Amino acid sequence: MPGRRRSNAETEQAVQERLGGFELQREQMAAVANIHRAAAAVRQHLENSALRPHDLTWTGFVVLWVLWIWGEAETWSVAEEAGISKGTLTGIARTLESRRLVARAPHPEDGRRVLLSLTPEGEELMERLFPVFNAEEAFVATPLSPEECLRLANGLRAIVAQLEEHGEERRRQLLDGRDLAPRRSGRRSRQ
Amino acid sequence: MPGRRRSNAETEQAVQERLGGFELQREQMAAVANIHRAAAAVRQHLENSALRPHDLTWTGFVVLWVLWIWGEAETWSVAEEAGISKGTLTGIARTLESRRLVARAPHPEDGRRVLLSLTPEGEELMERLFPVFNAEEAFVATPLSPEECLRLANGLRAIVAQLEEHGEERRRQLLDGRDLAPRRSGRRSRQ
DNA sequence: GCTAGCTTGTTTGGGGTCAAACGAAATGGA
DNA sequence: TCCATTTCGTTTGACCCCAAACAAGCTAGC
């Protein structure tokens, strides 16, 4: 085994040898595998090009983006739109607040809720940063025509929709009645 | 603003209002955004369906997969194939080794290198787990035909290739000469 | 031989991630 | 008017993740 990167063809060959005896959904496997390769590569590039000079992480940028588009919003809604858990958002919002990009305000009617919004500095940052970010999005998609980009986006949307509509039911059917060990992580009960 | 999930149409509307004044690459933006939505949703589903009963994380499974396909391999190569950094692999391999799924062996000729391989238990686990994992991959891709899956995979491969071929050069051009603050994270020099 | 430079896996520090536990606040029924 | 239940955001614990620093080991050039 030579000390170099393996080619796609070599990987396909090795997979074929190992999986020859299995019945497998090859095309679906390729789709899922490449979604993750692409997501990691794109995120890596955007963090190290557009975001790095502003010392923003991917997630931090996404949260700023959501607030930029929607204006003031409740935290649960921001977490939902940003695709992170509410617990994660607490930390991200704390960081962005400490950098004066995001402001936190109590809900006028409900003492439990918190409203987030961009500060003027946050707005200004997004106005300067967004064009740069979008240019890098265009760069990563260079090999695809606009039509191909839309086709790609629609295929991915279909997968997301499938999981939103049927994912929970599927997991319930698969795991119901199993002796599921509790998740290793997570806060422990005090008892 | 009602207390419910926002629809795609509402998001499009809000983006249009906010970005009306910007020249933007809309199709590429949609492609990139959906890559990440889909990646997160798929990973979430697979972790909570196929992997959860075996108490495996996504990354742990990917490392087992690489070793299953390739057999014994050096750590740098496993990290490369799994799409994680060598530092991350150290921790994952340690965890998998403690669970007796992976074995670590010194390289016969080079004292710096380490060879990883599956233990018999690891092999057995993969033989049982892979069909389940693949079935869930097929489930998430249900709305797409096999041909559409391949088209999707090819589009994503093109993006990965674009970044592999031109990403570094692009980042160099963008950031060269900038007063880049050093990354906030990372080990500090002892001095 | 020696040693300067390179390569390899590990350590470290800062941060991201989830789900469960939790406290505070709102709600609803008796 | 209670008070049990629900619903918020936050805290916690275990883990993931990267890049820079590091130590151990290899290799070239002298």
Side-chain angles (χ1 to χ4, degrees), chain A residues 159-177:
Chain A
I159 289 177
V160 173
Q162 161 78 359
L163 286 169
E164 282 182 353
E165 284 159 32
H166 308 297
E168 199 172 327
E169 166 72 3
R170 170 85 175 190
R171 289 189 291 275
R172 204 185 53 65
Q173 283 179 8
L174 263 176
L175 304 180
D176 223 28

Side-chain angles (χ1 to χ4, degrees), chain A residues 1 6-20 22 24 26 29 37, chain B residues 61-73 77-78 81 116-118 122-123 126-127 130:
Chain A
M1 192 180 304
R6 291 177 177 98
S7 69
N8 273 356
E10 282 174 301
T11 302
E12 274 302 311
Q13 168 78 11
V15 169
Q16 177 55 43
E17 283 169 21
R18 169 57 85 173
L19 298 182
F22 288 85
L24 77 166
R26 189 176 299 278
M29 186 173 80
R37 277 186 195 285
Chain B
F61 174 79
V62 171
V63 168
L64 292 179
W65 162 266
V66 169
L67 290 173
W68 195 44
I69 294 301
W70 286 109
E72 192 173 56
S77 154
V78 175
E81 292 289 324
L116 298 181
S117 59
L118 291 189
E123 296 252 5
M126 285 305 288
E127 268 161 40
F130 173 71

Side-chain angles (χ1 to χ4, degrees), chain A residues 5-6 55 77 80 136, chain B residues 5-6 77 80 170 184:
Chain A
R5 182 94 189 280
R6 291 177 177 98
D55 200 20
S77 153
E80 167 97 37
E136 293 312 303
Chain B
R5 182 91 191 281
R6 290 175 177 99
S77 154
E80 167 97 37
R170 171 84 175 190
R184 218 176 255 309

Side-chain angles (χ1 to χ4, degrees), chain A residues 131-184:
Chain A
V132 180
F133 189 88
N134 189 234
E136 293 312 303
E137 290 181 312
F139 167 73
V140 306
T142 301
L144 304 179
S145 69
E147 293 71 30
E148 288 173 317
C149 283
L150 283 185
R151 193 189 298 276
L152 185 76
N154 284 331
L156 295 165
R157 269 195 272 258
I159 289 177
V160 173
Q162 161 78 359
L163 286 169
E164 282 182 353
E165 284 159 32
H166 308 297
E168 199 172 327
E169 166 72 3
R170 170 85 175 190
R171 289 189 291 275
R172 204 185 53 65
Q173 283 179 8
L174 263 176
L175 304 180
D176 223 28
R178 288 244 213 164
D179 55 334
L180 263 200
R183 225 170 159 277
R184 220 176 253 309

Side-chain angles (χ1 to χ4, degrees), chain B:
Chain B
M1 191 181 305
R4 57 173 180 74
R5 182 91 191 281
R6 290 175 177 99
S7 69
N8 273 355
E10 282 174 301
T11 302
E12 274 302 311
Q13 168 79 9
V15 168
Q16 176 56 41
E17 283 170 21
R18 170 57 87 174
L19 298 182
F22 288 85
E23 263 187 44
L24 79 165
Q25 314 281 323
R26 188 176 301 276
E27 296 86 0
Q28 292 87 339
M29 187 172 79
V32 168
N34 281 289
I35 289 172
H36 287 88
R37 276 186 197 283
V42 167
R43 178 173 171 156
Q44 192 90 344
H45 175 75
L46 285 166
E47 285 191 333
N48 286 329
S49 56
L51 302 184
R52 180 87 178 280
H54 301 278
D55 200 21
L56 281 176
T57 63
W58 174 269
T59 316
F61 174 79
V62 171
V63 168
L64 292 179
W65 162 266
V66 169
L67 290 173
W68 195 44
I69 294 301
W70 286 109
E72 192 173 56
E74 298 180 26
T75 57
W76 68 265
S77 154
V78 175
E80 167 97 37
E81 292 289 324
I84 58 179
S85 72
K86 56 186 186 158
T88 300
L89 179 61
T90 297
I92 309 284
R94 203 200 317 277
T95 303
L96 294 174
E97 194 187 14
S98 79
R99 294 182 53 193
R100 316 250 175 258
L101 298 172
V102 159
R104 194 186 291 257
H107 191 284
E109 289 155 33
D110 189 334
R112 296 166 301 178
R113 303 189 206 179
V114 172
L115 296 170
L116 298 181
S117 59
L118 291 189
T119 62
E121 296 97 307
E123 296 252 5
E124 198 205 334
L125 173 61
M126 285 305 288
E127 268 161 40
R128 278 189 297 129
L129 179 50
F130 173 71
V132 180
F133 189 88
N134 189 233
E136 292 312 303
E137 289 180 315
F139 166 74
V140 307
T142 300
L144 304 180
S145 70
E147 293 72 29
E148 287 173 316
C149 282
L150 283 185
R151 196 190 296 276
L152 186 76
N154 283 331
L156 295 165
R157 270 196 270 259
I159 289 176
V160 173
Q162 161 78 358
L163 286 169
E164 282 182 354
E165 283 159 31
H166 308 299
E168 199 173 328
E169 166 71 2
R170 171 84 175 190
R171 289 188 291 275
R172 206 185 52 65
Q173 283 178 8
L174 263 176
L175 304 179
D176 222 30
R178 287 244 215 166
D179 54 333
L180 264 199
R183 226 171 159 277
R184 218 176 255 309
S185 62
R187 185 168 177 171
R188 300 280 168 271
S189 184
R190 275 206 226 153
Q191 299 301 345

Side-chain angles (χ1 to χ4, degrees), chain A residues 72-146:
Chain A
E72 192 174 56
E74 298 180 27
T75 57
W76 69 266
S77 153
V78 175
E80 167 97 37
E81 292 288 324
I84 58 180
S85 72
K86 57 185 186 160
T88 300
L89 180 61
T90 297
I92 309 283
R94 203 202 318 277
T95 303
L96 294 174
E97 194 187 15
S98 78
R99 294 181 53 191
R100 315 252 175 256
L101 298 172
V102 159
R104 192 186 293 256
H107 190 284
E109 290 154 31
D110 189 333
R112 296 166 301 178
R113 304 190 207 179
V114 172
L115 296 169
L116 298 180
S117 59
L118 292 189
T119 61
E121 296 96 306
E123 295 251 5
E124 199 206 332
L125 172 62
M126 285 305 288
E127 269 160 37
R128 277 188 297 128
L129 178 51
F130 173 71
V132 180
F133 189 88
N134 189 234
E136 293 312 303
E137 290 181 312
F139 167 73
V140 306
T142 301
L144 304 179
S145 69

